[in-house]
Amino acid sequence: MLYHKTYELGPEREWVVFVHGAGGSSTIWFRQLKAFRERFNVLLLDLRGHGQSHTLQQVVKGRYSFRAVTEDIVRLLDHLQIREAHFVGMSLGSILIRHLAELCPERVRSMVLGGAILRFDIRSRVLVQLGRLGQHILPYMWLYRLFAFIMMPRKRHEESRLLFVREARKLCQQEFKRWFRLATDVNPLMRYFRERPVAIPTLYIMGEEDYLFLAPVREQVERDPHSHLAVIDGCGHVCNVEQPEHFNRQSLAFLTKAGEG
């Protein structure tokens, strides 16, 4: 079972489940927790191999898939008897939430996807290929620092870079490689999802300076009547850390409205 922590107001309140991205952990939500737990039951989790889930036996063997990692979350929901919830994700966590909506749409009340990854452009694909070539030669933390800098290059992105690098140090080299291989599955999986839209209210929250991933999200929102986009000025990829007040305000307003629908 994934490591998790719950904050419950009562059975009459709706649940919000937070899903972090690759290399992070549930600690990235520290600036959301207070605001959200005042209105919702909250579930924080660490994905397999991350944070305090790094000791799980099932992370030791085999190659990972998006389906397998998503099913970890489903098993946790079953264990906690959470029938449905709102989901808030960051970066690669947005893919897992979208996969969960594909597997169990009845369990997803709404989705808030920050720094969402919907497609790798040519720059992202080149970066992934370089990483695949270098992963057997270079220490994984060198690669992770490089990726973090390319995604979050500006001075005001520094806090986000340092946070993710600090969390990534908790991954072992083999665990990093397993998650890194998932990157090659992003484009075909998201292409499949574009062909199978789900009628679930979705809010994308993106930083204006999220150079690698903002454009595909704009395209998605234009063709999906169930999707909305909020762009935060002067903000990079990890918008919940860089601009938490904006992120919280937009998210809570959206979730409150979705809960009333």
Side-chain angles (χ1 to χ4, degrees):
M1 193 66 60
L2 297 177
Y3 171 83
H4 59 279
K5 193 166 186 178
T6 59
Y7 301 85
E8 300 185 46
L9 292 175
E12 74 285 355
R13 298 296 184 103
E14 294 181 304
W15 282 92
V16 175
V17 179
F18 287 90
V19 183
H20 63 82
S25 76
S26 56
T27 61
I28 73 161
W29 304 110
F30 68 102
R31 290 179 174 168
Q32 279 66 60
L33 185 56
K34 181 178 184 295
F36 278 78
R37 63 186 291 192
E38 290 176 351
R39 305 192 195 181
F40 297 96
N41 295 328
V42 171
L43 168 60
L44 302 179
L45 59 88
D46 287 345
L47 297 170
R48 61 166 68 180
H50 290 70
Q52 296 192 57
S53 291
H54 71 281
T55 59
L56 292 179
Q57 291 299 314
Q58 69 257 34
V59 308
V60 175
K61 299 179 181 179
R63 180 174 178 175
Y64 294 169
S65 68
F66 280 112
R67 185 184 184 99
V69 177
T70 302
E71 287 175 345
D72 289 343
I73 302 173
V74 176
R75 281 191 290 273
L76 178 59
L77 296 177
D78 290 342
H79 172 72
L80 296 172
Q81 299 182 354
I82 298 175
R83 185 176 61 85
E84 67 173 2
H86 304 280
F87 288 81
V88 180
M90 178 56 56
S91 194
L92 183 136
S94 65
I95 301 177
L96 301 180
I97 292 172
R98 179 59 182 85
H99 209 314
L100 199 154
E102 181 71 23
L103 297 176
C104 311
E106 73 283 357
R107 306 190 78 155
V108 183
R109 190 76 184 269
S110 71
M111 301 182 284
V112 175
L113 308 179
I117 300 175
L118 298 187
R119 186 180 70 236
F120 281 162
D121 63 10
I122 185 63
R123 294 170 297 178
S124 306
R125 293 197 298 271
V126 168
L127 185 61
V128 169
Q129 289 302 319
L130 289 174
R132 291 184 66 187
L133 293 173
Q135 65 177 317
H136 302 296
I137 303 170
L138 300 174
Y140 78 97
M141 283 307 304
W142 290 13
L143 290 172
Y144 198 90
R145 287 192 186 96
L146 174 63
F147 298 154
F149 183 79
I150 291 174
M151 287 193 297
M152 300 169 275
R154 295 199 174 189
K155 177 66 176 177
R156 57 174 164 256
H157 306 160
E158 184 176 15
E159 182 181 5
S160 299
R161 286 200 307 272
L162 294 177
L163 173 63
F164 269 74
V165 168
R166 184 175 70 244
E167 289 299 314
R169 287 197 185 100
K170 300 174 184 177
L171 297 176
C172 66
Q173 180 106 357
Q174 186 60 38
E175 192 67 26
F176 173 83
K177 290 179 180 179
R178 287 176 175 144
W179 280 88
F180 188 82
R181 291 189 191 106
L182 282 179
T184 60
D185 298 332
V186 167
N187 277 4
L189 180 64
M190 299 312 293
R191 191 179 305 116
Y192 172 78
F193 286 160
R194 285 196 297 273
E195 296 170 355
R196 294 172 57 89
V198 291
I200 296 174
T202 304
L203 174 65
Y204 294 95
I205 304 182
M206 307 293 292
E208 175 196 21
E209 298 168 352
D210 196 349
Y211 310 109
L212 295 180
F213 304 118
L214 178 56
V217 171
R218 290 190 188 277
E219 296 170 8
Q220 174 68 17
V221 171
E222 287 179 2
R223 60 176 170 258
D224 183 0
H226 301 286
S227 295
H228 306 274
L229 171 62
V231 178
I232 303 177
D233 293 339
C235 184
H237 182 61
V238 191
C239 48
N240 71 303
V241 173
E242 292 182 34
Q243 297 281 353
E245 294 84 5
H246 288 275
F247 185 93
N248 295 350
R249 183 170 63 252
Q250 297 276 4
S251 300
L252 287 168
F254 178 80
L255 295 180
T256 300
K257 184 176 181 180
E260 296 170 351

